Amino acid sequence: MEGPAFSTRAESRVYRSWNVEVIGMTNLTEAKLAREAEICYATLALVTDYDCWHEEEADVSVAGVLENLRANAALAAAALRAAVLALPPRGSACGCGEALAHAIITPLDAIAPDARARLGVLLDKYLPTRSA
């Protein structure tokens, strides 16, 4: 979902009907941008609240979310330390580093010079050098 925002009870019930277990407010954009930049990406999701579906829990509040965020900070640091130690050696063939190899569908002669310059850091390895 687009966030930060608290769900309405109706939205929360829709997510539950879809069997959604975690609602992330930034993951979609981050994952898409990482893919386009050919960067390996993973999500570490730490719960801040039950959303409004859980009738036995207190309603979601900014204070409660911030309290849980602070408590999650140490857990996140420990998880990241463990994840970094478990990363494969550099150069492992996961495919992320070549995600754009077959994604450029614009005819090369239709890519404007300013767009090519702006996106060069991502696209240069796939585009032939232009002669002056």
Side-chain angles (χ1 to χ4, degrees), residues 1-54:
M1 70 183 281
E2 196 70 35
F6 295 137
S7 302
T8 66
R9 194 167 306 281
E11 289 169 323
S12 185
R13 288 184 177 138
V14 166
Y15 302 142
R16 302 271 304 154
S17 75
W18 295 341
N19 294 319
V20 172
E21 295 181 7
V22 176
I23 298 171
M25 290 188 246
T26 61
N27 278 17
L28 177 63
T29 301
E30 290 170 0
K32 286 172 67 173
L33 291 173
R35 187 68 169 174
E36 289 176 1
E38 299 184 329
I39 298 171
C40 296
Y41 181 86
T43 296
L44 173 61
L46 300 172
V47 176
T48 58
D49 60 82
Y50 275 107
D51 204 35
C52 57
W53 70 267
H54 202 301

Side-chain angles (χ1 to χ4, degrees), residues 38 97-98 120-127:
E38 299 184 329
E98 293 84 35
V121 69
L122 300 174
L123 303 180
D124 277 352
K125 69 181 184 181
Y126 300 112
L127 301 179

Side-chain angles (χ1 to χ4, degrees), residues 24-114:
M25 290 188 246
T26 61
N27 278 17
L28 177 63
T29 301
E30 290 170 0
K32 286 172 67 173
L33 291 173
R35 187 68 169 174
E36 289 176 1
E38 299 184 329
I39 298 171
C40 296
Y41 181 86
T43 296
L44 173 61
L46 300 172
V47 176
T48 58
D49 60 82
Y50 275 107
D51 204 35
C52 57
W53 70 267
H54 202 301
E55 309 256 350
E56 291 83 41
E57 291 292 325
D59 287 341
V60 178
S61 68
V62 171
V65 168
L66 292 176
E67 181 181 334
N68 288 331
L69 280 171
R70 284 188 287 274
N72 283 338
L75 179 60
L80 285 173
R81 274 192 293 278
V84 167
L85 292 173
L87 287 173
R90 198 176 268 223
S92 295
C94 66
C96 294
E98 293 84 35
L100 293 179
H102 303 288
I104 302 168
I105 60 173
T106 302
L108 299 182
D109 60 352
I111 300 174
D114 63 320

